[in-house]
């Protein structure tokens, strides 16, 4: 089932964070992709946005430097029903469009008219599958879904990686759990939270009740999910950590001092977990050492998780590359 239109046009922030393919599969329009970068740019090769047929925009390719000009190019591509490519910044004919970063950007535009590949791509993304879409210059009717690969041109077209966004499963007690959840949700991340703490339940009515000895069965964990544990009393960890460490989560971390981390590893070893599984537990809990207040800890841990997600999923597939094929 595709995402209802109402879900991705709630407001400007929602529109910028949502999936361009979902909108194009519903209404048609133009898919715009950064297919080449020279120098330093705000968004990487493989960044995508959609100009929908009804005027709605989904996603962004810059911090606002080129979107208005790009909308005019999208209109031309739609009118001609043909692939179009334009360059901005360094080496561009459009000298009145300035890029403060000093980069040269190649943007490719594909008119979309509800092709099956858009719907299929949207469904796989909703199902949180990592894959790629090959976009031939001949048009989206010849596009195809393929195994995940790095963004870039090949002889058959442009490879656009499609990786599910970061998801967070938060288990814990206390103010840290509440603040971390609110900050992460405010940043647009998908967060599931469970707690045995009535105070957390009062602050986060959507939080599930966490029972000792049971990992929440309703919390789906995939390769783009991080599991974050905030417990001052660590009794819950004995049952939660083994399940988390044996899941598909790309990152698992738990609150505690260096001494507690050593004791935790020993307890996990006594429980029968293999050393390779125990080693999956994050060696640190936050980018800021010795955070002493809930706000700093929450920000520190979220930054740590995002950094790990970027290293595992973003950098290998999106990044700087040569300018688009001429």
């Amino acid at each position: 089932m595709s995402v209802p239109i109402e879900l991705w046009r709630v407001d400007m922030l929602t529109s910028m964070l949502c999936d361009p393919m979902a909108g194009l599969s519903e209404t048609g329009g133009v898919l715009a992709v950064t297919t080449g970068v020279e120098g330093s740019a705000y968004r990487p090769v493989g960044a995508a946005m959609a100009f929908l047929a009804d005027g709605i925009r989904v996603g962004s390719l810059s911090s606002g430097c080129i979107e208005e000009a790009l909308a005019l190019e999208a209109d031309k591509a739609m009118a001609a029903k043909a692939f179009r490519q334009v360059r901005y910044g360094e080496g561009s004919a459009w000298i009145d469009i300035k890029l403060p970063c000093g980069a040269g950007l190649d943007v490719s535009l594909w008119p979309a008219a509800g092709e099956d590949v858009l719907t299929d791509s949207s469904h796989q993304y909703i199902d949180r599958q990592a894959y790629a879409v090959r976009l031939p210059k001949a048009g989206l009717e010849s596009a195809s879904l393929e195994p995940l690969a790095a963004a870039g041109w090949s002889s058959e077209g442009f490879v656009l990686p499609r990786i599910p966004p970061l998801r967070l499963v938060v288990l814990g007690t206390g103010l840290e759990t509440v603040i971390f959840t609110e900050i992460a949700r405010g940043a647009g991340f998908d967060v599931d939270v469970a707690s045995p703490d009535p105070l957390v339940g009062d602050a986060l009515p959507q939080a599930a009740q966490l029972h000792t000895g049971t990992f929440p069965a309703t919390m789906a964990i995939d390769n783009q999910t991080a599991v974050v544990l905030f417990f001052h009393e660590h009794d819950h960890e004995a049952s939660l950590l083994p399940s988390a460490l044996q899941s598909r989560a790309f990152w698992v971390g738990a609150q505690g001092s260096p001494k507690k981390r050593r004791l935790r590893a020993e307890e996990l070893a006594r429980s029968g977990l293999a050393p390779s599984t125990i080693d999956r537990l994050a060696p640190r809990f936050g980018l800021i050492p010795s955070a002493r207040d809930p706000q700093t800890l929450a920000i520190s841990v979220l930054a740590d998780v995002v950094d790990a997600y970027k290293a595992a999923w973003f950098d290998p597939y999106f990044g700087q590359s040569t300018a688009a094929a001429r």
Side-chain angles (χ1 to χ4, degrees):
M1 177 179 292
S2 60
V3 175
I5 291 176
E6 292 78 14
L7 294 183
W8 45 256
R9 49 161 74 167
V10 174
D11 54 36
M12 184 174 68
L13 176 61
T14 300
S15 179
M16 290 181 68
L17 292 176
C18 284
D19 175 30
M21 295 287 190
L24 290 171
S25 68
E26 295 278 356
T27 70
V30 173
L31 175 66
V33 180
T34 298
T35 51
V37 172
E38 290 184 355
S40 176
Y42 172 74
R43 299 292 305 278
V45 170
M49 72 176 296
F51 295 87
L52 305 186
D54 59 4
I56 299 293
R57 300 177 189 177
V58 182
S60 66
L61 297 187
S62 77
S63 58
C65 305
I66 65 173
E67 276 74 8
E68 293 304 319
L70 197 55
L72 299 177
E73 299 298 327
D75 288 342
K76 294 175 183 177
M78 180 63 76
K81 297 182 179 179
F83 170 85
R84 188 175 182 86
Q85 196 170 50
V86 61
R87 184 172 178 93
Y88 296 107
E90 183 68 25
S92 172
W94 308 109
I95 59 174
D96 57 332
I97 301 176
K98 303 296 184 182
L99 298 182
C101 57
L105 300 183
D106 289 309
V107 180
S108 298
L109 302 103
W110 285 267
E115 288 82 0
D116 289 343
V117 70
L118 297 172
T119 301
D120 294 342
S121 177
S122 179
H123 287 176
Q124 288 214 31
Y125 197 76
I126 292 168
D127 291 339
R128 295 187 60 83
Q129 301 297 314
Y131 62 99
V133 183
R134 189 171 296 279
L135 304 169
K137 291 183 178 181
L140 293 183
E141 63 275 6
S142 303
S144 60
L145 303 187
E146 300 183 355
L148 183 62
W153 284 101
S154 72
S155 58
E156 293 82 19
F158 186 81
V159 175
L160 177 64
R162 301 268 289 156
I163 300 172
L166 170 64
R167 170 185 282 167
L168 296 155
V169 166
V170 183
L171 311 171
T173 59
L175 193 55
E176 293 89 348
T177 301
V178 175
I179 293 176
F180 180 89
T181 299
E182 295 287 15
I183 290 175
R185 285 182 172 157
F189 295 118
D190 181 11
V191 185
D192 283 336
V193 58
S195 175
D197 186 349
L199 295 178
V200 173
D202 290 342
L204 301 171
Q206 69 276 29
Q209 179 66 36
L210 184 63
H211 301 285
T212 301
T214 305
F215 194 94
T218 58
M219 293 188 170
I221 297 178
D222 57 29
N223 294 329
Q224 291 79 34
T225 298
V227 180
V228 186
L229 277 67
F230 289 102
F231 289 104
H232 296 279
E233 300 294 335
H234 299 285
D235 295 343
H236 283 280
E237 293 181 359
S239 58
L240 297 174
L241 272 177
S243 296
L245 291 169
Q246 295 176 91
S247 73
R248 297 166 60 195
F250 77 93
W251 189 95
V252 179
Q255 182 177 2
S257 66
K259 178 180 178 180
K260 176 56 188 177
R261 288 197 289 271
R262 290 193 298 271
L263 293 174
R264 182 185 290 127
E266 293 172 2
E267 292 167 2
L268 290 170
R270 286 193 295 270
S271 74
L273 284 186
S276 58
T277 302
I278 298 172
D279 287 345
R280 296 193 64 230
L281 187 63
R284 67 186 183 195
F285 195 67
L287 291 179
I288 303 172
S290 301
R292 299 296 183 184
D293 61 87
Q295 297 96 326
T296 302
L297 180 62
I299 293 169
S300 174
V301 174
L302 183 58
D304 205 356
V305 173
V306 172
D307 182 62
Y309 174 83
K310 181 175 180 289
W313 289 105
F314 191 87
D315 287 345
Y317 300 102
F318 298 85
Q320 305 301 317
S321 72
T322 59
R326 303 298 184 192

